[in-house]
Amino acid sequence: MHRVGIVGAGSISRIHAAAWARLPVKLAGWHDVVPEAAVAAAERWGGRAFDSLEDLLAASDIVDVCTNVTAHPEPVLAAAHAGKAIVCEKPLARTVAQCEEILAVCTERQVPLFVAHVVRFFPEFEAARRTVQAGTIGKPGMIRTVRAGGFPRMGGGAAARRYADFEQSGGVIMDVGIHDIDFHRWCMGEVERVFARGLLEAGVPQCDHALLVLRFESGAIGHIEASWAHTPGRTRTHLEIAGDQGLVAWDSRDPASLSWRTRADDMPMAQNALQEADHPYFAELAHFLDCLDKGREFRVTPHDALMAVKVSQAALRSIRTGQPVAIADFRE
Ligand SMILES: NC(=O)c1ccc[n+]([C@@H]2O[C@H](COP(=O)([O-])OP(=O)(O)OC[C@H]3O[C@@H](n4cnc5c(N)ncnc54)[C@H](O)[C@@H]3O)[C@@H](O)[C@H]2O)c1
């Protein structure tokens, strides 16, 4: 049975731990730069608290990196050099250069790397993409998504300071918008260029709000609204993909999770698929484990994770320059 070591015992690690607890793995334990956080997590979820990353690596076959983004490269690279299979929370890293270094080491060491872009595992988003792939709405020309909630940590503390520090978090685009950048690429293919507007320069990170327009190589257009400016509580998500034969749409405020209507069939179809096994954070780790055991490619490849960071960084440059930014020749 695979032994899982979790690095970073903050908020997302608890969701991962709950999912690992329902999978056929053994939780080896936790490491955190704040030792009490690792101890508290081990008491709640099991496994040991490891004082050092090296000790955790020695006791693990899978390393699950749940640290804040600027603290991803160190444990990911250490795990890769130690030949461990890796799960890493999104974004893979804060910069494109760091992502490229990680990809190079993982390729050289032939280490499986899965970046947890969880939106690909939300049943409604997955089903919307399936609908597009099946040709139900014809040729897709436009995708629009909204991911709007409050600042992640209104209560303050170290995590809030990290999210509020643009250099550390990358603001709402790197934290929230990147989910949709990845989903848009998954549905529509490669991004040719991005144009973005945002409140980055306004100096109030807790109210960061950004709008991105993506132009895909196919000629299709994507629109992403990512916001921390709402009152705290549930994040609202909205999705529309329009094709020349119909529209697939979802809004988290609707009672029916997913509906679609086509020109061929005027009867709206609805799907509400949230069974326990469909819980996206469970589904992504179950998928990781299944692919690992069967030697299959992950739904999110390391290249996908790199491209999500690249398009995010290009969007940030667009906000700063007021110009669209081409992805193919984008360099930091
Ligand atoms: N997929 C999602 O829906 C989702 C939701 C929330 C967060 N996230 C991602 O998860 C990651 C963590 O976010 P969070 O909100 O849980 O952060 P957090 O600040 O709550 O937790 C991070 C933890 O990592 C620890 N840490 C920092 N540097 C470390 C190091 N070098 N070694 C060991 N431990 C270290 C911190 O002490 C802290 O306990 C981020 O990449 C974030 O984008 C994803």
Side-chain angles (χ1 to χ4, degrees):
M1 195 182 274
H2 299 291
R3 301 163 301 162
V4 177
I6 301 182
V7 186
S11 73
I12 199 67
S13 74
R14 295 189 272 277
I15 298 175
H16 284 220
W20 287 125
R22 293 163 52 212
L23 286 163
V25 297
K26 181 178 182 311
L27 185 58
W30 304 75
H31 170 64
D32 197 294
V33 283
V34 179
E36 311 85 68
V39 170
E43 280 170 6
R44 168 66 184 85
W45 295 102
R48 285 182 47 195
F50 293 99
D51 290 337
S52 72
L53 179 61
E54 291 67 32
D55 288 348
L56 176 135
L57 292 176
S60 309
D61 309 304
I62 295 169
V63 177
D64 182 7
V65 177
C66 291
T67 51
N68 40 289
V69 60
T70 45
H72 286 179
E74 183 202 343
V76 169
L77 289 169
H81 283 297
K84 310 293 175 179
I86 304 164
V87 177
C88 179
E89 256 304 335
K90 46 59 66 176
L92 174 56
R94 181 68 179 77
T95 70
V96 175
Q98 289 169 332
C99 292
E100 286 171 342
E101 183 186 358
I102 289 169
L103 261 62
V105 174
C106 287
T107 304
E108 188 212 316
R109 308 291 300 189
Q110 297 188 324
V111 163
L113 169 68
F114 172 70
V115 180
H117 277 286
V118 72
V119 173
R120 295 193 188 204
F121 296 88
F122 273 74
E124 302 84 1
F125 282 75
E126 221 178 327
R129 178 183 184 265
R130 256 198 323 273
T131 306
V132 174
Q133 299 273 304
T136 311
I137 62 162
K139 185 177 179 337
M142 164 83 197
I143 177 169
R144 186 169 87 86
T145 54
V146 177
R147 195 165 300 273
F151 179 70
R153 297 287 196 293
M154 277 303 186
R161 285 192 293 279
R162 285 192 287 267
Y163 277 109
D165 176 358
F166 175 78
E167 293 307 320
Q168 290 200 56
S169 69
V172 78
I173 289 182
M174 289 286 291
D175 184 53
V176 175
I178 196 165
H179 281 297
D180 293 293
I181 289 170
D182 176 65
F183 182 72
H184 281 226
R185 277 190 71 252
W186 194 40
C187 293
M188 310 297 264
E190 207 47 84
V191 180
E192 190 179 275
R193 59 181 186 267
V194 58
F195 179 71
R197 280 279 186 263
L199 298 181
L200 191 61
E201 309 294 340
V204 187
Q206 289 83 348
C207 296
D208 199 359
H209 186 106
L211 300 175
L212 283 62
V213 178
L214 311 179
R215 167 89 179 188
F216 297 93
E217 287 177 355
S218 67
I221 297 292
H223 186 260
I224 294 174
E225 179 178 335
S227 185
W228 277 345
H230 291 245
T231 47
R234 285 183 74 91
T235 296
R236 178 200 164 208
T237 55
H238 177 86
L239 160 67
E240 291 163 23
I241 308 175
D244 57 6
Q245 298 299 317
L247 174 79
V248 57
W250 136 266
D251 193 298
S252 57
R253 296 181 299 198
D254 289 346
S257 297
L258 182 78
S259 65
W260 60 89
R261 189 184 283 265
T262 68
R263 287 200 187 128
D265 177 1
D266 209 22
M267 183 82 88
M269 301 284 290
Q271 175 169 331
N272 201 333
L274 263 184
Q275 294 163 9
E276 209 188 10
D278 292 330
H279 192 290
Y281 296 89
F282 172 82
E284 67 177 354
L285 295 181
H287 167 82
F288 162 79
L289 210 55
D290 188 50
C291 292
L292 185 67
D293 287 339
K294 293 178 178 154
R296 291 194 182 140
E297 184 171 80
F298 301 124
R299 185 178 297 180
V300 185
T301 65
H303 176 73
D304 291 329
L306 162 74
M307 290 309 295
V309 172
K310 192 178 268 196
V311 177
S312 302
Q313 294 291 347
L316 289 167
R317 174 165 311 160
S318 174
I319 291 176
R320 292 203 179 91
T321 61
Q323 298 297 319
V325 175
I327 303 303
D329 45 357
F330 176 76
R331 297 284 174 275
E332 282 167 328

